[in-house]
Amino acid sequence: MKPFMCLFRLLPLSEKKIIVNNYNGKGYGDNAKYIVDEIRRQQLHYDLVWIVEDGKSIELPDGIRKVRMWSLRCIYELSTAKVIISNVKNYLPFLKRSSQYYIQTWHGPVPFKYIEQDAVDLLSPRYIKESQQNSSITDVMLSCNAISSYLFKNSFWYDGEVYECGAPRSDIFFSSQSVKDQLRRQMGVTEGQKVVLYCPTFRDNGSISAYDIDAHKILDTLKHTTNQDWVMMVRMHPNDKKGIARFHFDKKVLNMTDYPDMQELIFVADMQISDYSSTIAEFLIMQKPVFIYASDLEEYSKSCRGLSPAYYELPIHINRTNEELIQSIEQYDEAQFRQQLVPYLQHYNSFDDGHASERVVERIKSVIDGTFRRQDGSENHKK
């Protein structure tokens, strides 16, 4: 592989080519989806390439080429693209040139587990090496809040630019009600129904015992307390899909685990139930009610990277049993919830306003047309 990386590095750059790595080959989603959608909306004539997993059937919009992860073609595309976009810090098979521009979007608002340098004693030497290498070739990291900016500068082995532009994937949260209604219909939600999204994170030990929420009892409780009809969307983590075995899916409990865009699910949902997922922060900044169900809190906090203080500072009660969860739902007070949110939102200091994708595309346009000047004042020279 290394000889081809060296060989392809000698080839001319394709000045209008942009290649995307989303979770090392996953589908059309996360921050890059919204950046590419904005490129397509502006009808910019760029060569768009999306890296996909081997053997995976992934649907992409017209005009986007697929390339298989780790293939010889993938090495070539990475080596000759002007702009590379990624949301993870794993190794990519190419040797970056000074005239290439690497955008690291990251993939979450606020981590509740220790990550990167803060978890250096818990991470594998391989991951540390790959993360440090990724930081060394990154030209800019996109930040959506003050907490992320601090982490990028202090915990990511990174000393480059942090662009406080907001998260492109959060742009959808500022969409109109008509967009929300259309998405709900596509997802099988009928008019007038409310949506609770259950989206737990994965367990390093592979256990699914903590996903034992009583879905139908929760729905009955919500109907009784709100006098409205509810459905539950279940979204298991991509690393732990076997957890769906704990559910009986029907017209009221919908399996959305393979739905390609998590942000659309967050957007349409009226309420969230989760455990340690960073999506909790996204619900809170939209001031939507969040209920934590963490029956394995003690075990989880001691496993792998553990839980950071940011988790325990959330303005939400941690429910340990189904009975506690039901009681929290029954006793929910919206006015009290919003009051408790105020100091949290001030500390979080979100940069999201619905225009992050536009800002990133403007940066990409300036890089491609050669007018962008790096932090050191040098121009984005072409090679």
Side-chain angles (χ1 to χ4, degrees):
M1 184 178 292
K2 189 67 173 288
F4 289 107
M5 292 163 59
C6 294
L7 176 63
F8 291 150
R9 193 172 188 266
L10 300 175
L11 298 176
L13 284 185
S14 179
E15 296 293 343
K16 293 190 176 183
K17 180 160 68 180
I18 301 169
I19 188 167
V20 173
N21 174 39
N22 178 43
Y23 292 113
N24 295 319
K26 295 298 190 293
Y28 193 61
D30 206 65
N31 286 299
K33 170 191 173 180
Y34 292 90
I35 296 170
V36 171
D37 280 349
E38 179 62 21
I39 289 172
R40 296 172 67 242
R41 187 190 70 80
Q42 294 188 28
Q43 298 182 350
L44 301 173
H45 299 295
Y46 296 156
D47 181 14
L48 302 170
V49 184
W50 200 279
I51 298 173
V52 300
E53 280 184 302
D54 187 17
K56 295 291 185 180
S57 177
I58 294 175
E59 293 186 11
L60 298 175
D62 293 339
I64 304 176
R65 298 191 290 115
K66 295 180 185 178
V67 63
R68 182 168 53 84
M69 187 72 173
W70 300 111
S71 67
L72 190 61
R73 184 76 189 188
C74 182
I75 301 174
Y76 166 77
E77 301 286 6
L78 282 165
S79 301
T80 57
K82 182 67 177 179
V83 176
I84 301 103
I85 301 173
S86 182
N87 68 344
V88 289
K89 295 194 71 190
N90 303 98
Y91 173 74
L92 286 175
F94 80 114
L95 298 175
K96 182 178 177 286
R97 316 187 214 187
S98 61
S99 51
Q100 290 182 297
Y101 195 75
Y102 189 99
I103 301 173
Q104 173 59 253
T105 72
W106 199 234
H107 53 263
V110 175
F112 295 130
K113 292 185 290 186
Y114 286 108
I115 60 172
E116 300 296 298
Q117 195 168 348
D118 295 335
V120 68
D121 294 332
L122 303 171
L123 297 170
S124 70
R126 176 179 175 178
Y127 179 84
I128 293 172
K129 182 178 179 180
E130 290 184 0
S131 179
Q132 291 174 334
Q133 187 269 346
N134 191 284
S135 286
S136 71
I137 65 173
T138 297
D139 291 290
V140 64
M141 293 194 73
L142 308 185
S143 173
C144 60
N145 60 73
I147 299 173
S148 293
S149 294
Y150 176 84
L151 285 172
F152 294 159
K153 293 174 181 176
N154 293 276
S155 304
F156 273 61
W157 295 290
Y158 178 67
D159 60 1
E161 179 189 5
V162 174
Y163 187 15
E164 296 182 332
C165 60
R169 73 181 197 174
S170 295
D171 288 348
I172 190 174
F173 300 155
F174 298 85
S175 299
S176 65
Q177 183 64 42
S178 62
V179 172
K180 181 182 291 187
D181 292 341
Q182 181 180 359
L183 286 171
R184 288 193 184 211
R185 288 192 295 270
Q186 292 174 358
M187 295 173 185
V189 180
T190 61
E191 187 175 354
Q193 283 185 321
K194 306 284 278 186
V195 176
V196 53
L197 176 63
Y198 175 56
C199 51
T201 192
F202 67 96
R203 269 63 180 170
D204 293 300
N205 61 9
S207 172
I208 63 173
S209 61
Y211 310 139
D212 63 335
I213 66 168
D214 191 333
H216 285 282
K217 188 170 184 179
I218 289 169
L219 292 174
D220 288 342
T221 302
L222 286 169
K223 184 174 183 178
H224 175 73
T225 56
T226 66
N227 199 30
Q228 290 180 288
D229 189 30
W230 287 75
V231 296
M232 177 180 289
M233 293 181 177
V234 176
R235 167 76 171 209
M236 304 307 298
H237 194 280
N239 291 346
D240 208 5
K241 292 184 178 182
K242 63 182 180 294
I244 62 176
R246 298 211 62 125
F247 293 87
H248 173 69
F249 296 105
D250 51 32
K251 292 182 179 181
K252 290 286 190 178
V253 183
L254 311 177
N255 183 6
M256 306 301 285
T257 296
D258 290 326
Y259 191 83
D261 189 348
M262 178 63 173
Q263 303 311 109
E264 291 182 354
L265 298 179
I266 294 174
F267 177 51
V268 304
D270 300 287
M271 176 184 294
Q272 180 194 42
I273 299 173
S274 189
D275 42 28
Y276 318 106
S277 171
S278 63
T279 60
I280 290 172
E282 291 175 300
F283 268 82
L284 291 180
I285 64 172
M286 289 187 288
Q287 301 186 43
K288 293 183 180 183
V290 177
F291 296 90
I292 291 179
Y293 176 63
S295 60
D296 61 344
L297 178 63
E298 292 178 3
E299 179 184 1
Y300 190 91
S301 64
K302 296 175 183 177
S303 67
C304 193
R305 304 183 199 181
L307 290 166
S308 72
Y311 182 73
Y312 298 100
E313 292 166 2
L314 287 167
I316 318 169
H317 176 68
I318 300 175
N319 301 290
R320 304 290 300 277
T321 66
N322 270 284
E323 289 73 23
E324 276 189 68
L325 176 60
I326 294 296
Q327 186 177 46
S328 292
I329 294 173
E330 290 175 333
Q331 297 177 351
Y332 171 71
D333 183 299
E334 183 174 358
Q336 183 182 37
F337 169 71
R338 290 182 178 274
Q339 184 178 5
Q340 292 172 336
L341 267 183
V342 173
Y344 179 80
L345 295 178
Q346 290 174 342
H347 175 62
Y348 183 92
N349 188 19
S350 174
F351 308 138
D352 293 323
D353 61 1
H355 299 285
S357 298
E358 296 171 35
R359 296 187 184 99
V360 177
V361 171
E362 286 304 308
R363 170 66 63 88
I364 290 173
K365 287 159 66 175
S366 69
V367 167
I368 287 177
D369 67 25
T371 60
F372 174 68
R373 299 184 70 86
R374 298 174 186 269
Q375 278 193 317
D376 60 5
S378 64
E379 294 180 0
N380 188 53
H381 294 296
K382 297 183 180 182
K383 283 189 180 179

